[in-house]
Amino acid sequence: MALPLPFLLVSAALLGAWCTWLALRRPDRCRLVSRLLVTWGVVACLVLLLSPPNITRTYNATEAILLTPGYSPDTLQALLNKLRPRPQVFSFGQNAPKTQAVADLGTFQRENPAVKRVHVLGHGLSAEELNALAGLRMVPHLSPVPNGVLAASWPQDITLGEEVQVQGRFSGATDQNITVYLQAAGRPRDSVVVKKGQEQAFSLRFTPKATGQFVYALQWKDAQDSLHQEVLPLTVKTPRKLSLLLLSSAPSFEGKFLKNALAQQGHSVAIQNQVSKGIYQTELVNLPALALNRLTPGLLQKFDVVLLDEATLQSLGAAEKGALQQAVRTQGLGVLTTVSQKAPKPSSFFLEGDFRAIQGKQAQIGAVQWPKQAGPTAMLPLPHLLLHPKEGQEALAWHQNPRQTLALRYRKGMGQVGISLVTETFPLALEGKETLYQQYWATLLTALAKPGPSSPVSFSTTPVPFQVGQPLPFQLSVPGSDAVLVSATRNGQEAAVYGVQDEQEGASFQGQAWPQTAGWHTLRVNEKVQAPVYVHAASAWQTLHVQERQKALLRAEALKPTVAHSQKTEKEEPLSLWPIGAVLLVLLAYLWVEEKL
């Protein structure tokens, strides 16, 4: 509590008079004048410390400095030395000495209407925070981005046997190299070295061996040997069981090996091989009795993919080709035609390929590649021609690059039609490369198969992964008024869910949840519709947050609204106490030394 000034002055006068009387009574009158002056100086310092006076300072009213987390004191001092008159200094999101704390940016703008230009120091402001300062000119003075993951993308769910590929960028803002590891299933699976002081792209891979929900991690150590990580949640699903119809103009090792491999994985397979003219061999695996002698709409409805060779396709009658085309267009059936002729004739619908003969001598055996291929190179017999993808066609397998296409697909109605020039893949199985063999066929069959049932739940894409305390938006294609978000790590704790039912489309529902705990959650719509989602801790992905804030600030800077001429404002501030305290100590030291002389 401040003392009344009259009382303080009277007390100071009495104290000074008493100290003067004591000095005058001393027998030794040497240095009397200096002692009296120092004594009254001590009294004055005490008065100033107990009741510091205010001084008037002049500031630039149209400019302000806003300190955000990560700001550099050196940058602040250099800016204060440059700007004349000095602007006022505010701090947002952290405590900084000799600044005015800002709790709400909207309130800051209302309380400082003259401010038109804001110098932002540190790591910047988010897009939402900048909206509160709309109309003000932003001048960024950004600090370097700290070590960490600037961006990362990985599949949220995969099928067992597929490879997880984590791609992104890492900021190595240190004076030493940093090794980033992909930690999965209890140990490092892949790594990359980030050069010191650089922002570097990375790509890490791993193939899971089991199904379920997993949390992998990107890990690295800083200069102090402290471990840091960002977690990578994903769900590994059981492969979808397909029903396939294999039609061949003659029995072959290719068909036999493919049938055995598909049957071993639990797929349903129906095979019909032509033994001679009018005579066919039929075999069914994981299927009830079926008549395969004629392709009808009812028969084709039972399958997801039809595989046939070019000779079988040419032998089909007009009615069977029509049924096959209708099944592709309306049911989403996939068809793959294998071409073995040196000069095939393109035809509408099933063989809409641009076939090009290879000029010069062609190797008998060569590398065959496909998307997301993992493991060693697949060496297979090569054809004497290649496919040149047209607009709307996608390469599924190629020789050295996607322009040397060996298999492709294109859409017809609801389904996919594929063409393959690779006639023999069973050598991979004979060489013991079953994994490569399964990868190749999984790639083709997944790309061509009839679409499976789509999930009624989808989560919106956001620049930063879902985090505690942040909205988690989602869409439903079913009524969702009873939806709840249930935590799998906190004894079924439920998070609040808010949403709006589309009145025009009664089944459409858009909502958002506000999770309060980190870890796996389940969005439970009803007893049958549920979807897993992972919520990251509030402290996760800080480097990514910093980058997003800096990007938002740079976008705001580019707007450059008009700024009025500089205006000055005067403000009374308490006099700094540390110079007064320093003088008091010097005076007291003199009195003590003078007493000893």
Side-chain angles (χ1 to χ4, degrees), residues 460-533:
S460 302
T461 302
T462 57
V464 180
F466 301 134
Q467 290 183 280
V468 171
Q470 299 297 320
L472 192 160
F474 61 89
Q475 295 83 35
L476 306 176
S477 59
V478 295
S481 57
D482 297 328
V484 294
L485 185 69
V486 182
S487 172
T489 57
R490 293 295 181 91
N491 299 322
Q493 178 179 342
E494 297 183 1
V497 173
Y498 307 92
V500 178
Q501 195 81 29
D502 193 323
E503 297 181 358
Q504 296 181 351
E505 300 179 11
S508 177
F509 183 90
Q510 295 185 355
Q512 61 182 14
W514 292 84
Q516 301 303 313
T517 59
W520 283 105
H521 291 65
T522 300
L523 182 62
R524 185 177 299 161
V525 182
N526 51 49
E527 293 184 358
K528 295 182 178 179
V529 179
Q530 301 182 10
V533 62

Side-chain angles (χ1 to χ4, degrees), residues 10 44 76 86 114 130 181 232 305 354 357 381 397 459 493 551 562:
V10 170
L76 173 61
R86 288 187 174 186
L130 287 168
Y181 297 92
L232 310 171
V305 183
D354 182 2
F459 296 97
Q493 178 179 342
K551 286 182 178 179
T562 303

Side-chain angles (χ1 to χ4, degrees), residues 304-468:
D304 299 302
V305 183
V306 174
L307 292 84
L308 69 167
D309 55 31
E310 184 186 10
T312 302
L313 176 64
Q314 300 300 334
S315 66
L316 296 177
E320 290 181 301
K321 286 185 178 179
L324 199 55
Q325 293 181 12
Q326 186 69 10
V328 173
R329 294 185 185 277
T330 62
Q331 300 175 19
L333 178 69
V335 175
L336 177 64
T337 304
T338 301
V339 177
S340 58
Q341 296 183 20
K342 293 184 179 181
K345 294 181 180 180
S347 62
S348 62
F349 201 91
F350 295 108
L351 293 177
E352 295 182 359
D354 182 2
F355 299 96
R356 298 187 179 183
I358 299 176
Q359 302 297 329
K361 188 176 181 180
Q362 170 69 8
Q364 298 295 321
I365 304 292
V368 176
Q369 305 177 59
W370 54 86
K372 300 181 181 180
Q373 181 179 355
T377 303
M379 304 298 293
L380 292 171
L382 295 177
H384 295 278
L385 66 161
L386 295 171
L387 284 163
H388 182 72
K390 303 178 182 179
E391 183 178 357
Q393 296 183 343
E394 178 186 358
L396 299 178
W398 54 84
H399 178 32
Q400 295 178 341
N401 58 70
R403 290 176 297 177
Q404 298 177 328
T405 303
L406 299 175
L408 55 75
R409 70 169 180 175
Y410 49 92
R411 176 171 293 279
K412 288 292 185 180
M414 296 179 59
Q416 298 283 345
V417 176
I419 305 173
S420 174
L421 304 179
V422 182
T423 58
E424 293 183 353
T425 59
F426 70 90
L428 292 176
L430 289 177
E431 296 169 7
K433 299 178 180 178
E434 288 85 359
T435 302
L436 274 180
Y437 181 76
Q438 293 174 6
Q439 282 182 14
Y440 174 83
W441 279 108
T443 300
L444 266 63
L445 296 179
T446 302
L448 296 170
K450 183 184 299 184
S454 59
S455 172
V457 182
S458 61
F459 296 97
S460 302
T461 302
T462 57
V464 180
F466 301 134
Q467 290 183 280
V468 171

Side-chain angles (χ1 to χ4, degrees), residues 87-127:
Q88 299 185 67
V89 183
F90 302 85
S91 60
F92 178 71
Q94 69 169 40
N95 295 324
K98 299 181 181 180
T99 64
Q100 302 177 54
V102 176
D104 179 74
L105 294 175
T107 304
F108 162 78
Q109 188 172 13
R110 289 192 297 271
E111 294 179 350
N112 301 272
V115 173
K116 300 302 179 183
R117 180 188 287 111
V118 180
H119 297 266
V120 183
L121 279 68
H123 292 321
L125 301 168
S126 67

Side-chain angles (χ1 to χ4, degrees), residues 130-380:
L130 287 168
N131 288 336
L133 300 177
L136 301 185
R137 189 168 190 173
M138 297 291 121
V139 182
H141 305 268
L142 299 175
S143 299
V145 177
N147 285 341
V149 181
L150 293 170
S153 63
W154 69 97
Q156 300 299 307
D157 55 79
I158 63 170
T159 301
L160 183 63
E162 293 181 350
E163 182 183 61
V164 178
Q165 186 172 10
V166 184
Q167 295 180 321
R169 290 182 296 111
F170 191 92
S171 172
T174 60
D175 56 358
Q176 64 180 16
N177 295 342
I178 297 177
T179 303
V180 182
Y181 297 92
L182 174 60
Q183 187 80 6
R187 60 190 181 92
R189 301 292 179 171
D190 200 359
S191 64
V192 62
V193 176
V194 179
K195 302 296 182 181
K196 60 182 180 181
Q198 294 186 10
E199 178 183 314
Q200 183 175 319
F202 65 86
S203 179
L204 303 173
R205 307 182 178 208
F206 173 64
T207 303
K209 305 299 182 184
T211 59
Q213 294 176 345
F214 300 96
V215 179
Y216 299 158
L218 293 173
Q219 295 185 343
W220 69 95
K221 290 185 177 182
D222 59 18
Q224 290 74 37
D225 208 34
S226 299
L227 182 65
H228 301 268
Q229 72 171 16
E230 300 291 0
V231 298
L232 310 171
L234 79 157
T235 302
V236 182
K237 299 179 180 180
T238 302
R240 175 186 166 197
K241 305 303 180 185
L242 301 176
S243 293
L244 300 103
L245 175 59
L246 278 64
L247 303 176
S248 177
S249 58
S252 64
F253 285 111
E254 180 69 7
K256 179 180 179 180
F257 275 86
L258 181 57
K259 177 208 64 173
N260 293 338
L262 295 174
Q264 188 177 6
Q265 297 173 34
H267 298 291
S268 301
V269 185
I271 303 176
Q272 179 174 271
N273 296 320
Q274 184 175 1
V275 179
S276 60
K277 187 174 181 179
I279 301 177
Y280 297 90
Q281 180 186 31
T282 301
E283 185 175 358
L284 302 174
V285 180
N286 300 326
L287 282 171
L290 290 173
L292 306 179
N293 57 326
R294 185 173 179 82
L295 298 183
T296 62
L299 175 66
L300 295 174
Q301 192 174 8
K302 302 179 185 295
F303 297 98
D304 299 302
V305 183
V306 174
L307 292 84
L308 69 167
D309 55 31
E310 184 186 10
T312 302
L313 176 64
Q314 300 300 334
S315 66
L316 296 177
E320 290 181 301
K321 286 185 178 179
L324 199 55
Q325 293 181 12
Q326 186 69 10
V328 173
R329 294 185 185 277
T330 62
Q331 300 175 19
L333 178 69
V335 175
L336 177 64
T337 304
T338 301
V339 177
S340 58
Q341 296 183 20
K342 293 184 179 181
K345 294 181 180 180
S347 62
S348 62
F349 201 91
F350 295 108
L351 293 177
E352 295 182 359
D354 182 2
F355 299 96
R356 298 187 179 183
I358 299 176
Q359 302 297 329
K361 188 176 181 180
Q362 170 69 8
Q364 298 295 321
I365 304 292
V368 176
Q369 305 177 59
W370 54 86
K372 300 181 181 180
Q373 181 179 355
T377 303
M379 304 298 293
L380 292 171

